[in-house]
Structure formats: C-alpha cells, structure tokens
C-alpha cells in the first residue's frame, strides 16, 4: 500500500538529506492517484508540510543531478523538477502556484495570475502564509536552512524557522530610525499586506520594539550556490 502523500514527501526529504536511495519514493509520488493526493492533503497544515518538503527535496535533487542548471535561474525555477500524481511541476508551480495561491512573483505579491492551471488550483492553500519564505530553500546562500515539516507541528516549526532566520538577517538601528530586513519583504510584500503589516510581523518576532516605525531597507540576496544547507536535527533511528 502506498504511503500517505505527506509521509512520502517527508521520506523523500530525509532520504535526500541522509544520502539514501530516492528512486522508489520519487516514483511513488509520480504515480499517486490524484484523488489519493487530494484526500491525503485535506488541511492547510497537510498541504503546507507536503509542498514545502517536496520543494526542498526536489531542489536538492535537481542541483545534485546538474548544478549547472542553476546558472540560468529563470530556467531553473520554471522547468519541471518533480512529478506528483502524474503532473510535472516546477519550483515556481509549487511556490507561487500552490503555496502562494497563484499570486505573481513579478508584482510584489499583490496580483493574482490570470487563468490558472487546474491542478494548481485544486491543491493550493486556502490562505497565504508569509512564513513559508523562511522555510523554502532554492539553493542560494541567502536561503534558510532545510528542515522536515510535519502537519501536527508545522505552525510551531514555521515560527521557529521565521524567528531563527530573522534573528540573523534583521538589523534595527534606532538612532537612524531604519531596519535592514531580508529582501523577501520587498519581493513578496503583498504576502504580508502593507508596510504596517510588515512592521507588525517584525515586532511579533521581537525584531522591533513595540512602538518602532522605522524606514525599511532591504538586504541584497546572495545567489551563490549553496546546496545541502540543512537545519540541525537528530538523525533518524539507525543513523
């Protein structure tokens, strides 16, 4: 009997991390019945854990197979890197089509894409969660570390990932009234809302004092290739 979709994606990610065989899991994901995929991803917690784990695993596999693909990042993100339930998917499909619910990456996250792929519509989250930007790793040096997410713990896990990433990438200068923040706050501004929403988000993770309203500036993104950036965790049993 084929494992549940969430279990397959986590299994694939852990196999990638610990340099285990991946072919059988890749095949199981590719040949899933779409009805089984739908029933196995009924909640946003299940969908979010599944698609984050799959995105990160597929990225690592693609880079391991051919690191030169990263030299043209536009092609790298738009070319299929995995197959799920018979549907070939790119990293853009997973991140922007499913996790970000079809909001364009070219409009600061404010506009939804026109007529969309039916598969992506059927499996998208019901709401955008900007914390995914601190969980997805596309292979760049500026990306957050990769961790395995589970539906039962994903809210707490995303909080930890966000807190850890912001702790190392936000610089608040009260004297100058400025805050240097990760570039995703500019690229996907609409995922948070407006500037007051970004400031509230930064306060939530203790990056700003309660009354601070600094000007925002954005870090340059380091696109240097940096695969295999995994978060610390205990190895699975038997390792």
């Amino acid at each position: 009997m084929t494992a549940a979709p969430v279990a397959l994606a986590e299994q694939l990610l852990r196999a990638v991390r610990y340099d285990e065989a991946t072919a059988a899991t890749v095949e199981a994901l590719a040949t899933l019945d779409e009805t089984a995929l739908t029933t196995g991803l009924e909640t946003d917690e299940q969908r979010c854990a599944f698609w984050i784990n799959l995105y990160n695993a597929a990225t690592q596999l693609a880079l391991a197979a051919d690191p030169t693909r990263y030299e043209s990042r536009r092609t790298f993100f738009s070319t299929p890197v995995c197959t799920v339930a018979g549907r070939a998917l790119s990293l853009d499909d997973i991140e922007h089509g499913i996790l970000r619910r079809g909001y364009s990456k070219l409009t600061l996250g404010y506009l939804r894409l026109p007529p969309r792929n039916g598969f992506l519509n059927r499996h998208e989250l019901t709401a955008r969660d900007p914390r995914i930007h601190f969980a997805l790793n596309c292979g760049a040096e500026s990306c957050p570390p990769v961790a395995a997410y589970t539906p039962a713990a994903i809210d707490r896990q995303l909080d930890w990932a966000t807190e850890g990433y912001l702790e190392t990438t936000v610089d608040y200068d009260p004297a100058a009234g400025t805050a240097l923040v990760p570039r995703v706050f500019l690229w996907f501004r609409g995922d948070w809302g407006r500037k007051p929403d970004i400031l509230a988000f930064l306060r939530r993770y203790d990056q700003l004092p309660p009354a601070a309203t600094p000007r925002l500036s954005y870090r340059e993104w380091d696109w240097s290739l940096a695969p295999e950036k995994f978060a610390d965790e205990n190895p699975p049993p038997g390792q």
Side-chain angles (χ1 to χ4, degrees):
M1 181 176 179
T2 302
V6 169
L8 285 173
E10 183 179 353
Q11 178 180 312
L12 180 62
L13 182 60
R14 292 190 180 280
V16 168
R17 172 169 188 163
Y18 296 106
D19 198 25
E20 299 170 349
T22 61
T25 308
V26 168
E27 178 66 14
L29 285 162
T31 57
L32 271 174
D33 180 79
E34 192 178 348
T35 300
L37 180 67
T38 301
T39 57
L41 303 178
E42 293 183 316
T43 68
D44 269 0
E45 290 80 8
Q46 290 171 324
R47 295 185 199 107
C48 203
F50 175 84
W51 293 110
I52 289 174
N53 289 340
L54 183 64
Y55 180 103
N56 289 334
T59 298
Q60 296 299 317
L61 286 172
L63 292 175
D66 183 6
T68 65
R69 295 173 64 179
Y70 198 72
E71 294 171 5
S72 174
R73 290 190 297 274
R74 178 178 296 181
T75 301
F76 180 67
F77 288 119
S78 62
T79 300
V81 291
C82 63
T83 301
V84 178
R87 183 62 59 104
L89 298 170
S90 68
L91 295 178
D92 276 351
D93 288 333
I94 296 172
E95 179 178 6
H96 308 298
I98 294 175
L99 288 168
R100 297 188 56 253
R101 306 191 69 244
Y103 280 81
S104 172
K105 65 178 181 178
L106 303 177
T107 62
L108 303 185
Y110 285 115
L111 296 180
R112 212 169 188 210
L113 295 168
R116 303 181 55 226
N117 178 300
F119 182 93
L120 304 185
N121 278 340
R122 290 192 295 275
H123 298 290
E124 67 181 17
L125 274 64
T126 60
R128 282 183 289 177
D129 187 334
R131 295 176 298 173
I132 67 162
H133 296 297
F134 310 109
L136 297 175
N137 182 299
C138 69
E141 178 62 40
S142 285
C143 287
V146 175
Y149 291 84
T150 63
I154 193 163
D155 186 61
R156 184 170 69 252
Q157 289 176 307
L158 287 174
D159 271 343
W160 287 341
T162 300
E163 182 178 12
Y165 191 80
L166 295 181
E167 189 65 33
T168 62
T169 57
V170 175
D171 288 323
Y172 170 56
D173 184 342
T178 60
L180 180 64
V181 300
R183 205 158 191 84
V184 292
F185 284 104
L186 173 63
W187 286 341
F188 306 110
R189 189 166 182 160
D191 289 12
W192 282 271
R194 302 288 178 178
K195 182 183 176 181
D197 303 299
I198 294 175
L199 296 178
F201 188 87
L202 292 169
R203 293 189 200 102
R204 172 182 168 186
Y205 291 98
D206 299 322
Q207 297 305 310
L208 294 177
T213 57
R215 299 185 306 277
L216 298 180
S217 58
Y218 304 95
R219 289 188 180 277
E220 291 300 320
W221 190 262
D222 186 348
W223 286 105
S224 301
L225 183 58
E228 300 184 19
K229 184 195 291 186
F230 294 105
D232 293 334
E233 67 171 40
N234 293 324
Q239 294 293 315

